[in-house]
Amino acid sequence: MNKIGIFLSGLGLAMFSSISWAQNSVCVFDLLGKSGESYKFLEEWALNTKTWGNAVKLVAYQDEAKADQDFKDGKCDGVYLTSMRARYYNKFAGSIDALGGVPSNEIAKKAIAYVLDKRNNQRLNSTLNQQNYTVGGVAQIGTAYIFVRDRKVNSIEHAKGKKFAVLHYDAAQKIMVERIGAIPVMSDISNFVRKFNQGEVDIIAAPAYAFKPLEIQKGLGNQGAMIHFPVINVTADLILNADKFSPNFTSQSRQWFVKQIPKNFAMVQRLESDIPARYKMTLSKEEKEKYQKLLRDGRIELTKQGIYNPTMMTVLKKARCTVERTNFECSIGGE
């Protein structure tokens, strides 16, 4: 090849490289848009991507359904969603948020680190409708606690007949609400707290992340309470179009997320401590065990239905019983 041919070939490669570089975009869901903690967290991630072979442009969304749909439509190469919605792409990672499966931050740390370990590389890949997906990271949003407009609703029995907002795309929530005899009210992540604050529902489950920005105290008023019992551990998953990112990029992305675990949980603990103590209500030992048994039965049923990943259920049980060996479930099978 003559010098002109070599020059043109090199120019073509450079142009192709720059086009690929510019096309990598990630849709990021955060209730607060660019001012939210999740978006700021992804900004730090994006700064590091240049050293992994891709520059990434973030696009903020305050509507999670829109972010998800734009990703499906190919308008972005990756998407950052709550795992309840991201479970569609990967049940293994998405099952960290199984009802009652992760009752403490200590177990949540272990679960996230385990999921992103290289031994699970294959489990983090999936193919849906001839499209290849991979999990680029998992981050903690926080434990979801039950908020009630009337603190007299302090037991499973008292929840019967009460209206409970559930995310319409998460079958697990609807099934569990029905199991306790409450009335599920189909909602979205963008409006479930508003329904609570306006009295359209009596009960919601939400992490501390939502307390201040969504003004949950308005729904609590003088009679409401936050039942200090972990129902769901809420995480966010970074789902990538596997054909747009190299395996090396994905591997380094996961490693970055693991390194952020201490910082991530420090943020969660700060937000939880910001909730005024006057709203917090603890359950009796007997009530806690009732909830634990109810959630356990629900997890087993939902796993049989294919909603939760069975391998992850086994991993989470081992983690729970390592931390709390005397728990009733540790002497029985089923998960």
Side-chain angles (χ1 to χ4, degrees):
M1 184 182 293
N2 59 32
K3 291 183 180 180
I4 295 177
I6 293 173
F7 172 76
L8 291 174
S9 176
L11 181 62
L13 287 171
M15 288 176 65
F16 176 78
S17 176
S18 66
I19 291 172
S20 299
W21 189 270
Q23 285 181 338
N24 291 120
S25 61
V26 171
C27 297
V28 181
F29 165 67
D30 192 309
L31 283 169
L32 302 181
K34 291 184 177 181
S35 63
E37 298 278 0
S38 289
Y39 187 84
K40 291 176 182 175
F41 180 70
L42 260 288
E43 280 187 316
E44 292 183 41
W45 170 81
L47 286 174
N48 286 268
T49 62
K50 294 177 182 179
T51 64
W52 308 336
N54 295 70
V56 174
K57 182 180 77 170
L58 303 181
V59 184
Y61 287 76
Q62 290 179 269
D63 183 336
E64 188 179 38
K66 175 65 173 170
D68 188 26
Q69 190 58 54
D70 279 2
F71 176 58
K72 286 186 173 78
D73 292 343
K75 295 180 181 178
C76 42
D77 305 315
V79 66
Y80 192 65
L81 302 167
T82 58
S83 58
M84 289 169 286
R85 197 182 285 272
R87 193 182 301 139
Y88 165 81
Y89 301 98
N90 191 281
K91 285 185 182 179
F92 180 70
S95 293
I96 290 179
D97 290 7
L99 292 160
V102 177
S104 71
N105 283 337
E106 184 178 354
I107 293 172
K109 291 175 185 177
K110 292 177 183 293
I112 292 172
Y114 172 77
V115 165
L116 297 177
D117 189 277
K118 61 184 179 181
R119 79 188 88 168
N120 291 313
N121 283 351
Q122 290 305 312
R123 292 190 175 114
L124 295 176
N125 298 327
S126 60
T127 301
L128 299 166
N129 300 320
Q130 300 182 320
Q131 175 60 60
N132 299 318
Y133 299 104
T134 191
V135 178
V138 179
Q140 180 79 344
I141 292 179
T143 300
Y145 299 102
I146 292 176
F147 291 86
V148 295
R149 288 177 60 85
D150 185 347
R151 61 177 53 240
K152 291 179 182 177
V153 184
N154 59 358
S155 69
I156 293 173
E157 289 76 16
H158 292 159
K160 291 179 180 177
K162 301 296 182 183
K163 294 180 180 179
F164 199 134
V166 300
L167 301 179
H168 66 86
Y169 48 85
D170 187 7
Q173 293 185 35
K174 180 176 183 291
I175 291 170
M176 286 306 300
V177 167
E178 289 175 339
R179 284 176 73 94
I180 65 175
I183 302 168
V185 177
M186 297 299 105
S187 308
D188 197 89
I189 201 164
S190 61
N191 65 21
F192 79 110
V193 173
R194 177 182 58 75
K195 290 181 179 182
F196 180 72
N197 289 348
Q198 294 180 358
E200 296 174 33
V201 298
D202 307 297
I203 311 170
I204 57 171
Y209 187 93
F211 186 83
K212 187 176 289 185
L214 298 185
E215 302 179 306
I216 292 178
Q217 72 276 7
K218 288 184 177 179
L220 295 175
N222 296 321
Q223 302 298 319
M226 181 187 92
I227 299 176
H228 207 255
F229 176 83
V231 181
I232 304 172
N233 184 71
V234 185
T235 57
D237 294 352
L238 175 63
I239 306 296
L240 303 174
N241 179 332
D243 299 325
K244 298 285 187 177
F245 298 89
S246 70
N248 179 64
F249 178 95
T250 303
S251 175
Q252 294 197 67
S253 177
R254 292 171 187 162
Q255 290 173 28
W256 183 87
F257 271 80
V258 170
K259 290 177 183 177
Q260 306 311 306
I261 287 176
K263 181 179 180 180
N264 206 212
F265 277 82
M267 178 270 291
V268 171
Q269 289 171 334
R270 171 174 55 80
L271 294 174
E272 289 187 353
S273 65
D274 285 345
I275 298 177
R278 68 180 182 276
Y279 293 124
K280 297 176 182 178
M281 179 172 65
T282 57
L283 295 174
S284 66
K285 183 179 179 182
E286 293 72 24
E287 279 299 320
K288 285 181 180 179
E289 192 161 303
K290 278 185 188 178
Y291 273 105
Q292 288 172 339
K293 288 179 177 178
L294 181 74
L295 294 173
R296 177 183 180 275
D297 290 344
R299 285 195 305 274
I300 292 173
E301 178 184 330
L302 293 164
T303 303
K304 288 178 180 177
Q305 292 182 21
I307 293 173
Y308 294 144
N309 177 275
T311 300
M312 180 53 65
M313 294 305 97
T314 301
V315 168
L316 294 182
K317 181 180 179 181
K318 286 181 180 177
R320 291 193 300 274
C321 291
T322 298
V323 174
E324 191 179 352
R325 297 179 185 277
T326 58
N327 193 296
F328 77 92
E329 67 171 332
C330 299
S331 59
I332 56 178
E335 282 190 282

